[in-house]
Amino acid sequence: MRRMEEIDFFFFWRNLRKHYLWIVLAGVLCGVSAYLVCRYLVPPTYKAEISLFAWGGNPKYENENHLLPSAGPAADDADDARKPRELTQQDIIFGNLLVNDYKELLGSRNVSNEARRRLNLEYPELAEVPYRFEALVLNKTRFIKVSVFSQSTVKAEKAAQIIAEVFSESVEKFMKIKRVQVVDSPQVLGKVSPKTTRVTVIAFLLGAGFVFGLFCLYDFFRYTLRNSDIVKAELDLPTIGMIGICSEKQNANLACLTEKSDSYCFNHILEDFLLLQTNLQYSLPKKNRAQILVLTSAFPKDGKSFTSLNLALTLCGNSKRVLLINCDLRKAEYDYLDLPRQPGLVNFLLGEKKIDEVIHKNVLGTPLSVIRSGPIPPNPTRLLEIFQTSGILDELATRYDYIILDSPPCMNMADPLLLSKLADGTILVVNSRRTPVDAVRQVVDQLRKFDVNILGVVLNRYSAQTAGYGYGYGYGYGYGYGESKSSRKEKAKEKKEEA
């Protein structure tokens, strides 16, 4: 898991830039799915509105106003006496209180059931179409707005009209007041749901954001040694090599095997191993005999054997005599070298063969010598103890310039510890994209307990983009020497024509 101080803008920006195609694809899929659902599966809902004015006053006074005098000589005087008087403050307060009563009455089951009954009687063909309505009292006014929602425009409009009629009758029936007037006749305002555009945009953002969040969580918990700064901060070790990703599908394990050609061909993997070779020259003490190196890793498939073989090939490029010994007795390696697996190191340790009989010399036409592991023994650790006390490395050190021991992984194994005590230095190979920091830290602590000389860390499958740097890996530049792919193809075509 990462440290919280590493969670900054560049952490999110790096994940967005690295996975933007998947993020956009997820957003597009969610957006298109939401659009299709809204367009073809969700029925549209329409809205109709009607505005009512709820006039309130003293009900007793209003009822008295309905008692008109009979015609006669005193009719004019009676009319003058019974004319509505001007509104008082008490009438205004009473009217405002009635507005809340109107709203509660409008939302009652009595109004709802009566309106539904009349709708079903007058429009039986729309009985199966659902609808709902809601009332809104405008702030500090006595205007009531009734909104009806239905999948049918006809039912929405008719329901608004009938609800207004039932409400007026209910006010007169229960409150003895006839003061509700229709201000705006019912009108269909259009489709209110689903809001296809809004839902599509929200679905796109949610889908893209969800996938982006998953990538960020994965990167947060998958804390790997992706650059030299993390190696220094977490392990307090130098980074002596950063090996990129081999782009060639053929002979990927032999990336540093130079082709015999008159012209220079740029090989970025070879350049990485040349830099590793240079760092090793400054890390190892000068000796009159062979330098013995142990390459190990935390887990299998971290690139330990790949690094061991290509480092050996790189060292052979300087006309150095290099011996590569496969000390991982639990599995067979280097099958791609077309060398017989037996006899190997196990046969020598069991006394079945002499050391010269198990050494394969001039491998791939280079000064490289290889000792394969041989048959898988029942107790590899015991055989490595014999290898440790046999003193055979002292004899081989007089014949070669470098001896590379390809060790098993360190997790839960004693083999690397036995081999490291025989070497001048140990190199820890980690997969910069996969190996967790915690696992590598355990390996380093274990090696330090036995006073092993750890020369440094080699970051395999390194990429500047995943490392969090703002520049790309420097493999695309064009130096003033070397051949491009097009020129090599042209030369190959000319050779074919000559043949």
Side-chain angles (χ1 to χ4, degrees), residues 19 22-24 26-27 30 206-216:
H19 306 292
W22 290 107
I23 295 173
V24 172
C30 292
L206 289 178
F210 178 75
V211 174
F212 176 65
L214 288 181
F215 281 122
C216 290

Side-chain angles (χ1 to χ4, degrees), residues 246-402:
C246 185
S247 59
E248 299 293 337
K249 295 183 179 180
Q250 297 180 349
N251 295 329
N253 295 309
L254 305 174
C256 292
L257 183 62
T258 57
E259 299 180 359
K260 295 181 180 180
S261 176
D262 296 335
S263 57
Y264 172 79
C265 180
F266 182 75
N267 184 345
H268 69 84
I269 298 294
L270 178 58
E271 297 294 334
D272 292 339
F273 277 99
L274 288 173
L275 180 59
L276 172 59
Q277 171 188 323
T278 304
N279 292 332
L280 284 177
Q281 291 177 353
Y282 288 98
S283 302
L284 291 170
K286 294 183 179 181
K287 299 171 62 176
N288 295 326
R289 62 185 186 90
Q291 301 281 1
I292 302 177
L293 302 174
V294 171
L295 273 74
T296 186
S297 61
F299 298 107
K301 298 184 179 180
D302 279 351
K304 167 181 56 65
S305 297
F306 165 79
T307 305
S308 300
L309 177 57
N310 285 278
L311 176 60
L313 291 173
T314 305
L315 293 172
C316 289
N318 290 340
S319 299
K320 299 293 184 179
R321 298 166 299 170
V322 182
L323 174 62
L324 175 62
I325 304 178
N326 180 17
C327 296
D328 191 351
L329 306 184
R330 292 174 171 80
K331 59 183 295 188
E333 293 288 353
Y334 312 129
D335 290 334
Y336 40 82
L337 295 179
D338 295 329
L339 299 176
R341 182 176 177 181
Q342 300 183 29
L345 182 61
V346 173
N347 302 100
F348 166 74
L349 296 177
L350 293 176
E352 300 174 356
K353 298 289 183 179
K354 294 182 179 180
I355 189 62
D356 291 330
E357 295 177 337
V358 298
I359 298 177
H360 302 278
K361 299 181 179 180
N362 299 323
V363 177
L364 301 174
T366 65
L368 174 64
S369 298
V370 176
I371 298 179
R372 297 200 63 182
S373 60
I376 298 178
N379 193 344
T381 304
R382 177 56 182 164
L383 286 181
L384 288 179
E385 290 177 355
I386 298 174
F387 179 69
Q388 184 183 26
T389 58
S390 64
I392 188 61
L393 283 180
D394 294 332
E395 178 186 345
L396 295 174
T398 61
R399 306 185 193 178
Y400 296 92
D401 299 310
Y402 290 95

Side-chain angles (χ1 to χ4, degrees), residues 160-220:
Q161 180 64 42
I162 291 177
I163 289 172
E165 295 174 359
V166 172
F167 173 65
S168 299
E169 295 173 2
S170 299
V171 170
E172 183 176 0
K173 176 181 177 181
F174 294 106
M175 305 178 69
K176 308 302 181 183
I177 298 175
K178 193 175 181 181
R179 293 295 179 87
V180 177
Q181 297 177 349
V182 177
V183 178
D184 293 328
S185 58
Q187 180 182 5
V188 177
L189 301 181
K191 186 177 75 171
V192 293
S193 69
K195 300 182 183 300
T196 306
T197 303
R198 181 185 300 177
V199 171
T200 302
V201 173
I202 292 176
F204 174 84
L205 295 177
L206 289 178
F210 178 75
V211 174
F212 176 65
L214 288 181
F215 281 122
C216 290
L217 284 176
Y218 178 73
D219 192 18
F220 178 77

Side-chain angles (χ1 to χ4, degrees), residues 399-411:
R399 306 185 193 178
Y400 296 92
D401 299 310
Y402 290 95
I403 297 178
I404 298 177
L405 305 180
D406 186 1
S407 165
C410 278
M411 292 299 290

